[in-house]
Amino acid sequence: MQFTPSLSFQGQCARAFDPYAELFGGDLDLSRFSDIPAGDAAPEMRPEQTGWIMHATLTLPDGATLMGADMPPQFGGTKMQPGGMAVAETIPDADRA
């Protein structure tokens, strides 16, 4: 069994995932709320939130996945407190450390 962690942000998702991609390698895919075509299906967003990340996926070289998103407060998202999360990597081979 493999778990896929998903991290929640309020406007900081891209700033978090860019360094993760640089550090861990892999392919980063970011979908922004502004990518949704205008119309009935588009959620109501405040102007400062249109560039927020709707879905982030970092697929690592070993196949593991890290996901995340910006969670607007009007959708029930709450701001995480500083120090409220961490991303850790376990390296089984000391030569890779």
Side-chain angles (χ1 to χ4, degrees):
M1 178 183 299
Q2 181 177 350
F3 292 96
T4 302
S6 184
L7 308 175
S8 297
F9 302 90
Q10 284 196 330
Q12 304 85 15
C13 186
R15 284 197 324 254
F17 270 73
D18 286 338
Y20 293 160
E22 186 176 323
L23 177 65
F24 299 125
D27 296 314
L28 177 59
D29 181 43
L30 300 175
S31 299
R32 298 179 185 278
F33 284 101
S34 57
D35 296 338
I36 300 172
D40 294 335
E44 187 78 26
M45 300 295 292
R46 297 179 187 141
E48 67 274 10
Q49 296 171 334
T50 57
W52 282 22
I53 303 301
M54 180 174 51
H55 186 75
T57 303
L58 176 58
T59 305
L60 303 173
D62 69 355
T65 303
L66 179 64
M67 297 190 315
D70 287 314
M71 306 298 290
Q74 65 267 35
F75 300 161
T78 59
K79 187 171 185 171
M80 293 185 77
Q81 298 301 316
M85 65 174 205
V87 175
E89 177 184 23
T90 301
I91 301 173
D93 182 1
D95 293 335
R96 285 190 51 220

